[in-house]
Amino acid sequence: MKKTTAAFFDIDGTIYRDSLLIEHFKMLVKYEFININSWAGRVKEKFSKWESRRGNYDDYLLELVETYVDALKNLREEDMDFIAKRVIELKGDKVYRYTREKIEEHKRKGHKIIIISGSPDFLVEKMAKKYGADNFTGAKYKVDTSGVFTGEVIPMWDGKSKKKAIDRFCKEYNIDLSKSFAYGDTTGDLTMFKNVGFPVAINPAMELIKKVKREKELSEKIKIIVERKDVIYKITADVKVM
C-alpha cells in the first residue's frame, strides 16, 4: 500500500493567532453563561503578567484551562456548542498568513491535513471544517447522558497525548512520518516535531526553543518561523534565548 504524507497542525498560536479556548471563555462571559468574576479573580493576574511579558505563557494557559473547566461544569453541551459556533464565525479568520498558505500548499500536493490541538474538541471540529482538514482531534470535554458537562476532560495539549494521536492517524492513513510535516509553537508539540521529517515551529515559546536547542538532531532539522505584522521571518535554532 502506498504511503501517505501528512501535515500535522496545532491550532492555538500556530494557525490561530491567539487561543480558541480563551475566545470561547470570553464569549461565555459576554453571553453571561459564566460570571465575570471567574475571569477577573483567578486569571487576571497571570494574564497581566503574560501580556506585559513578565510571566510564562504556559503557566497562564494552564491556569486558564483549570478555571475554564471549573466554569463549564454543569453547562449544557448545546450552550457550549452555540458559543463555539459564534467564536468561529467572528474570530475564525484571525489566523497567521504563513500557516494559512501552508495548509493550502499541502492540499495542492495531496497531503493529509490533520489538526491536533489542546483546545476543546467542539471548537477544534469547527476550525478543522473551516480550513478543510482531513481529520482532527482535540481535548475531549465529557458530558453526561443529559448533555451536561461533567468537568472531566481528556487532554490533548501534552506531548504524550499528541504522540498517541499521531500513532492513531498513522495507522488510519498509512502515513510516512519521515516525509511528513508538523507545525506547532509550544513544548506540547515536541513529540510531533521529533516524529516527523520536517518540523516547523511557529512563533515558538521560549521553553520550546530551549528544549530544541538541547537536542542536536531536532535543532538541525527544525525550521523556525516568526510572523510579525505583514513580514515572515525564518530564523535558526541557535537564536539567542533571553
Side-chain angles (χ1 to χ4, degrees):
M1 184 184 297
K2 184 180 178 181
K3 286 280 190 176
T4 302
T5 297
F8 300 97
F9 286 86
D10 171 54
I11 289 184
D12 301 327
T14 301
I15 299 175
Y16 190 65
R17 297 203 312 264
D18 203 327
S19 164
L20 289 180
L21 183 148
I22 291 172
E23 298 292 357
H24 193 246
F25 190 102
K26 288 179 178 178
M27 206 163 287
L28 284 166
V29 171
K30 179 180 178 180
Y31 281 82
E32 298 183 347
F33 286 102
I34 295 176
N35 190 297
I36 186 62
N37 291 330
S38 297
W39 168 264
R42 293 179 57 179
V43 186
K44 187 176 180 180
E45 181 182 355
K46 279 281 192 301
F47 178 74
S48 296
K49 284 182 179 179
W50 165 246
E51 195 171 42
S52 61
R53 297 304 188 264
R54 293 191 178 92
N56 182 291
Y57 180 73
D58 287 341
D59 290 343
Y60 158 61
L61 200 56
L62 284 173
E63 185 157 332
L64 179 60
V65 168
E66 292 178 7
T67 306
Y68 178 80
V69 169
D70 285 345
L72 259 59
K73 285 178 184 174
N74 300 318
L75 283 185
R76 296 192 60 80
E77 185 177 23
E78 61 190 41
D79 294 329
M80 296 189 296
D81 191 64
F82 165 74
I83 298 299
K85 288 178 182 176
R86 293 294 291 154
V87 168
I88 304 305
E89 287 170 3
L90 297 174
K91 304 288 186 177
D93 292 324
K94 186 181 173 183
V95 298
Y96 287 114
R97 188 181 74 188
Y98 179 83
T99 38
R100 183 181 62 227
E101 291 175 353
K102 281 297 175 182
I103 288 171
E104 293 306 316
E105 179 184 325
H106 286 299
K107 285 181 183 178
R108 289 194 300 271
K109 292 180 177 179
H111 299 166
K112 290 292 182 184
I113 307 298
I114 299 173
I115 291 178
I116 302 178
S117 172
S119 274
D121 56 353
F122 50 82
L123 282 163
V124 176
E125 178 184 19
K126 292 168 181 57
M127 198 68 167
K129 183 177 180 180
K130 179 177 177 65
Y131 287 95
D134 294 286
N135 214 327
F136 72 92
T137 188
K140 177 70 175 176
Y141 283 61
K142 290 192 172 185
V143 295
D144 62 21
T145 54
S146 63
V148 173
F149 177 52
T150 64
E152 184 179 356
V153 180
I154 301 174
M156 189 51 69
W157 50 75
D158 60 289
K160 185 177 180 180
S161 298
K162 291 194 174 187
K163 175 63 167 62
K164 287 182 178 179
I166 286 177
D167 291 343
R168 174 164 55 85
F169 288 125
C170 280
K171 291 178 182 178
E172 183 173 352
Y173 295 111
N174 194 30
I175 293 170
D176 183 347
L177 288 176
S178 69
K179 295 181 180 179
S180 294
F181 300 75
Y183 299 84
D185 69 312
T186 66
T187 55
D189 300 312
L190 265 174
T191 52
M192 292 205 304
F193 292 156
K194 290 178 181 179
N195 280 274
V196 300
F198 304 97
V200 184
I202 312 293
N203 297 325
M206 181 175 64
E207 287 302 313
L208 174 58
I209 291 288
K210 287 179 178 178
K211 290 189 176 184
V212 167
K213 285 166 72 73
R214 288 197 289 265
E215 302 196 29
K216 188 174 185 295
E217 184 180 348
L218 180 57
S219 66
E220 288 177 347
K221 70 176 181 175
I222 198 167
K223 181 187 292 185
I224 299 175
I225 298 295
V226 175
E227 181 173 331
R228 289 292 180 268
K229 296 180 180 175
D230 57 351
V231 181
I232 297 170
Y233 305 88
K234 178 182 176 182
I235 60 178
T236 62
D238 61 357
V239 61
K240 184 179 180 181
V241 179
M242 304 298 289

